[in-house]
Amino acid sequence: MSLLSTPHLIGIKELSRADIDLIFSTAENFKEVINRTIKKVPSLRDITIANLFFENSTRTRLSFELAEKRLSADIINFSASSSSVSKGETLIDTVNNILAMKTDMVVMRHPNAGAALFLSKHVKAKIVNAGDGAHEHPTQALLDAFSIREKVGDLAGKKVAIIGDILHSRVALSNIFCLQKLGAEVMVCGPATLIPKYVASLGVKVETDLRKALEWCDVANMLRIQLERQDIRYFPSIREYIMQYGLTKEILNSLSKEIIVMHPGPINRGVEITSEVADSSQSIILEQVENGVAIRMAVIYLLAS
Ligand code: CP
């Protein structure tokens, strides 16, 4: 059973508008809970969740773990670097061994696109995708949209520019699906080499000029250049990238209106965004992190219920 229209959370693509609205209203309740003196509810006392991280993470891993603890679930944590994966064990064998220890739900981050979907078809547990390669990062998109909604209200008609390395970004794809389902207009902006050809077919605007994108949008979501996923060089140098796509306070101040600045983290300060911008009153980066816990509590609670 699940209170959502899907038994797993693999991607935003599979969620309905009603699912997203239910996740948001549930997250609003949980946000109130985590701001109380006693930040815990007994909702999932009989549930055991395995957090499987086959790729590095700070925010998502800690946020899921805290969300599960706030819901009173039992948890086990697994990281690939200290496991028998390095001895050749397959993903299905690894997960089936963890499920044999009577776990109900698996939260998984994996470097390969499709890993979460694959797992959902081969093991008997609810699967939550915590980021699969360059495919989707659904809880990041949900917390991003939830954070925008807190600032500007209904997203219908709002303009969101996603700026940076679109090609290698799971955050970009999940954000596009989520924002469009909520009625927002979406633009992607970056060097032409870092914008995949298929993206225009998703109904988003495409722009290579940072200033034009910033003048158009109400919200700018600045993405990290994912050098670890780049097998070839997509732009001449980091210096050149900063000159064309780095967001500075001077640029922000020169715009005709005040926009909201977001970043999913981890930030490369001084590359896609300066420290002055990251720490400015226009930035909602730490609000995104705070909302991540409430959103993940909502997702786990709704899938487990
Ligand atoms: N935003 C995000 O996914 O950050 P981590 O890689 O630290 O989890």
Side-chain angles (χ1 to χ4, degrees):
M1 281 291 292
S2 158
L3 292 175
L4 300 176
S5 65
T6 163
H8 311 281
L9 179 59
I10 305 302
I12 299 289
K13 199 174 181 186
E14 292 81 38
L15 291 184
S16 65
R17 169 70 198 251
D19 288 329
I20 297 174
D21 288 342
L22 180 59
I23 291 168
F24 283 3
S25 59
T26 310
E28 275 168 9
N29 291 333
F30 284 135
K31 189 164 176 180
E32 190 264 315
V33 168
I34 59 182
N35 280 295
R36 289 184 199 155
T37 316
I38 297 169
K39 301 174 170 54
K40 220 168 159 151
V41 285
S43 315
L44 298 188
R45 253 190 333 217
D46 51 350
I47 298 284
T48 304
I49 302 175
N51 298 311
L52 273 57
F53 279 74
F54 291 88
E55 194 185 68
N56 292 345
S57 168
T58 300
R59 278 145 294 272
T60 312
R61 186 171 56 83
L62 295 178
S63 180
F64 266 113
E65 189 173 334
L66 198 56
E68 292 152 6
K69 286 179 172 167
R70 298 281 190 244
L71 291 166
S72 304
D74 289 324
I75 62 172
I76 48 175
N77 291 320
F78 164 99
S79 77
S81 55
S82 57
S83 74
S84 291
V85 170
S86 56
K87 298 175 194 163
E89 192 170 44
T90 67
L91 178 60
I92 293 178
D93 280 341
T94 300
V95 174
N96 275 331
N97 276 271
I98 291 167
L99 294 181
M101 300 174 207
K102 308 295 174 208
T103 50
D104 306 289
M105 191 181 286
V106 172
V107 173
M108 183 174 75
R109 168 165 291 190
H110 200 280
N112 297 343
L117 178 64
F118 175 78
L119 203 59
S120 71
K121 291 183 184 303
H122 289 93
V123 302
K124 287 191 174 63
K126 288 176 190 291
I127 307 298
V128 181
N129 182 6
D132 61 327
H135 176 226
E136 280 227 38
H137 192 349
T139 55
Q140 180 69 46
L142 289 165
L143 74 89
D144 288 345
F146 185 83
S147 303
I148 298 172
R149 203 182 67 142
E150 270 190 344
K151 284 283 165 194
V152 302
D154 188 358
L155 269 80
K158 299 293 183 311
K159 295 175 175 171
V160 182
I162 305 171
I163 298 165
D165 185 353
I166 312 299
L167 183 66
H168 300 98
S169 175
R170 53 193 170 215
V171 175
L173 194 58
S174 287
N175 260 269
I176 290 168
F177 290 142
C178 192
L179 293 165
Q180 287 182 334
K181 284 179 196 237
L182 294 168
E185 285 184 62
V186 184
M187 174 185 280
V188 295
C189 173
T193 49
L194 286 176
I195 298 179
K197 299 279 180 288
Y198 69 81
V199 84
S201 70
L202 299 177
V204 304
K205 295 180 191 308
V206 177
E207 179 58 71
T208 53
D209 185 315
L210 176 66
R211 176 164 286 279
K212 285 185 184 161
L214 295 173
E215 284 291 0
W216 174 84
C217 72
D218 303 303
V219 179
N221 196 351
M222 305 302 295
L223 303 183
R224 183 174 66 88
I225 290 294
Q226 302 197 30
L227 291 173
E228 76 277 16
R229 292 192 205 282
Q230 296 185 8
D231 45 356
I232 58 167
R233 291 187 188 278
Y234 290 86
F235 46 85
S237 68
I238 286 285
R239 217 171 109 102
E240 192 146 333
Y241 181 86
I242 295 168
M243 281 166 62
Q244 285 198 61
Y245 295 101
L247 182 56
T248 64
K249 201 75 173 77
E250 291 70 36
I251 298 174
L252 269 188
N253 290 345
S254 70
L255 300 176
S256 54
K257 62 175 186 261
E258 189 164 298
I259 63 167
I260 294 167
V261 178
M262 310 175 71
H263 195 304
I267 304 173
N268 287 318
R269 284 177 183 259
V271 180
E272 62 270 6
I273 184 172
T274 62
S275 283
E276 213 184 354
V277 173
D279 303 331
S280 74
S281 58
Q282 283 171 256
S283 157
I284 60 165
I285 293 171
L286 292 179
E287 280 139 280
Q288 291 173 258
V289 177
E290 180 186 347
N291 287 332
V293 178
I295 284 288
R296 289 175 175 120
M297 285 175 80
V299 165
I300 291 165
Y301 173 79
L302 292 168
L303 286 175
S305 295

